[in-house]
Amino acid sequence: MTAPTSQDLLARLAAVIESRKPEAGGDPDKSYIARLFAKGTDAMLKKIGEEATETVMAAKDGDPQKIVYEVADLWFHSMIVLAAFGLKPADVLAELARREGLSGLEEFALRRVQQREKEDPQ
């Protein structure tokens, strides 16, 4: 038996998140994920902000275990937001793969050009 990949783990977690959506039968009284979906996008986004702040604070403290814990929370809540918009971890992985080998500065410059083209299509 081969060990599961990170992508396998993310796909399994995404499937659990999908199964907890209210339209899939998730019960907000029994499921944290269902409760977040029932509260709506603003509640989900608030959790992202909270988890991002906690990640920053953990990194400032320099405690590796705490950093991993908080990043896991951030990723988890980010996956809930992805699901809310019909997206999957594979979509993010595809974007990361697209960026692989591209300098961060080149990526930033490309985004600026694309934004200008959107704002002023001539």
Side-chain angles (χ1 to χ4, degrees):
M1 184 169 143
T2 61
T5 65
S6 300
Q7 190 168 352
D8 293 337
L9 177 61
L10 293 173
R12 285 196 314 270
L13 182 53
V16 169
I17 291 169
E18 286 294 325
S19 74
R20 303 285 167 80
K21 287 181 171 181
E23 60 267 23
D27 182 351
D29 292 329
K30 296 179 181 174
S31 166
Y32 172 74
I33 295 169
R35 187 174 306 144
L36 271 179
F37 274 104
K39 288 181 178 180
T41 307
D42 284 349
M44 295 174 201
L45 298 176
K46 182 179 177 185
K47 282 304 294 181
I48 295 275
E50 289 172 11
E51 298 304 340
T53 299
E54 290 171 4
T55 299
V56 168
M57 292 178 352
K60 293 276 256 173
D61 290 345
D63 180 344
Q65 186 174 2
K66 202 171 174 186
I67 294 167
V68 168
Y69 182 88
E70 295 302 342
V71 169
D73 280 352
L74 180 58
W75 285 13
F76 173 75
H77 287 89
S78 295
M79 289 179 66
I80 292 172
V81 170
L82 286 172
F85 288 93
L87 300 167
K88 305 232 178 286
D91 297 313
V92 177
L93 294 173
E95 175 60 15
L96 290 171
R98 184 192 69 77
R99 295 180 188 185
E100 189 174 16
L102 185 62
S103 150
L105 296 176
E106 290 170 349
E107 173 69 17
F108 180 71
L110 179 61
R111 278 190 263 162
R112 289 180 65 189
V113 168
Q114 290 170 337
Q115 184 62 36
R116 275 189 293 227
E117 289 172 356
K118 274 187 193 176
E119 293 171 356
D120 189 24
Q122 288 184 345

